[in-house]
Amino acid sequence: MITPVLPRPRLRRLVRLYVGLTLYGLSVALLIESGLGAMPWAVLDQGLALRTGLSVGTWTVIVGALLMLLWIPLRQKPGLGTLSNVIVVGVTADLFLWLLPETGVPWIRVGELLVGILACAMATGCYIGAGLGPGPRDGLMTGLAALGISVRLARTGIEALVVVTGFLLGGTVGVGTLLFAVTIGPLAQIFLPLFRMSENLPETPIRSGHR
């Protein structure tokens, strides 16, 4: 149900939000299926999934929900986009991991990696452009920044810890993880102006990970 709290144009914002989050779930699945290295937070989700038997998408939801609990002492306020991010990305990641066929063909795996990174950049432009709230991981960074901690330092430190922990748990770290870290910022910066709605509030800063 579209409520009055949503800025106009409401339907367009909702469509853009959920297309973006679905596309993000696809990008998570593509990078994992490539076997060449997942995006940082997905490395952790994949490692937890391997150790517990729960799915990658389930852990995406659990980790996102736990991060939102950290918003409370940081006094961050979630939006519809934040809550949707926690659920939709995990559900769609599992769906696409189930739909995508396993392949050992090298050029297909490289294609999955490249398409996954591009899809993530487009997804970031869509869901941030909708202006309905940051993802749980971005909200954690902005909350830490409000305490006087450098966003870049906080993000780099946390994502490094996440990648190392995920790797130790069995998550896939490889050239794809590095390529994602290097390219996602510039690519998202290209797509964000294309999908940002003119009625939005001031820009959300672009950072790697985007969730």
Side-chain angles (χ1 to χ4, degrees):
M1 185 174 181
I2 301 174
T3 63
V5 298
L6 296 177
R8 296 179 183 274
R10 296 165 188 160
L11 182 59
R12 283 176 55 200
R13 286 183 189 276
L14 290 174
V15 169
R16 194 158 299 186
L17 170 67
Y18 291 113
V19 167
L21 294 179
T22 300
L23 197 58
Y24 205 109
L26 173 61
S27 71
V28 170
L30 283 169
L31 266 70
I32 291 176
E33 281 297 322
S34 75
L36 298 174
M39 60 183 72
W41 284 94
V43 174
L44 176 62
D45 297 331
Q46 185 185 24
L48 289 167
L50 291 171
R51 294 291 180 174
T52 63
L54 298 176
S55 68
V56 170
T58 299
W59 275 112
T60 298
V61 174
I62 293 172
V63 171
L66 291 175
L67 289 175
M68 286 192 64
L69 292 178
L70 296 178
W71 284 32
I72 298 173
L74 294 173
R75 298 183 179 180
Q76 297 296 294
K77 295 181 180 180
L80 176 62
T82 310
L83 301 174
S84 298
N85 188 304
V86 172
I87 298 171
V88 176
V89 173
V91 171
T92 55
D94 271 353
L95 173 63
F96 287 117
L97 283 169
W98 178 68
L99 291 174
L100 290 171
E102 294 184 10
T103 178
V105 182
W107 68 267
I108 294 180
R109 294 171 63 198
V110 171
E112 288 177 328
L113 171 64
L114 297 178
V115 172
I117 293 174
L118 185 62
C120 184
M122 293 178 65
T124 300
C126 280
Y127 90 77
I128 290 181
L132 295 176
R137 294 151 187 83
D138 279 330
L140 177 61
M141 298 306 116
T142 56
L144 291 173
L147 297 178
I149 302 173
S150 163
V151 172
R152 181 173 297 181
L153 177 62
R155 185 143 213 139
T156 301
I158 290 175
E159 290 197 349
L161 178 62
V162 163
V163 169
V164 171
T165 303
F167 176 72
L168 293 175
L169 290 171
T172 306
V173 177
V175 64
T177 309
L178 178 60
L179 185 62
F180 178 89
V182 171
T183 61
I184 191 61
L187 285 173
Q189 199 69 49
I190 292 172
F191 285 107
L192 186 55
L194 298 178
F195 295 114
R196 181 181 290 116
M197 304 185 71
S198 59
E199 299 86 352
N200 278 359
L201 297 175
E203 299 184 11
T204 300
I206 292 297
R207 297 177 290 275
S208 65
H210 303 292
R211 284 197 294 146

